[in-house]
Amino acid sequence: MLKLRSTFPTNTRVLNIYGDKEDGSHSDGDVPVNSAKSYREVEIKGANAQHSTLHNNSQVNRELINFLWRK
């Protein structure tokens, strides 16, 4: 992305969803929270915040719908 920063559209919207299992790891089990913190942030917490389960999380689904269609 750094190579493209001078030509990347400035009006591009980015939604960055990450999980924190709240088990002291500050991660979703695979990706640390601090590596995901840029752009618009949505933190998902609790048992359904594990990396491999985020795609089945209703909060994630709502955030995606709001981001894509502003509903």
Side-chain angles (χ1 to χ4, degrees), residues 11-52:
N11 62 343
T12 300
R13 294 172 44 217
V14 177
L15 174 63
N16 187 22
I17 297 176
Y18 58 93
D20 185 343
K21 292 173 52 180
E22 294 187 313
D23 63 357
S25 69
H26 302 288
S27 75
D28 63 8
D30 292 313
V31 179
V33 169
N34 64 356
S35 73
K37 287 196 171 189
S38 59
Y39 322 114
R40 179 176 176 263
E41 298 177 2
V42 176
E43 182 175 10
I44 309 300
K45 293 184 175 187
N48 291 327
Q50 184 171 355
H51 187 80
S52 63

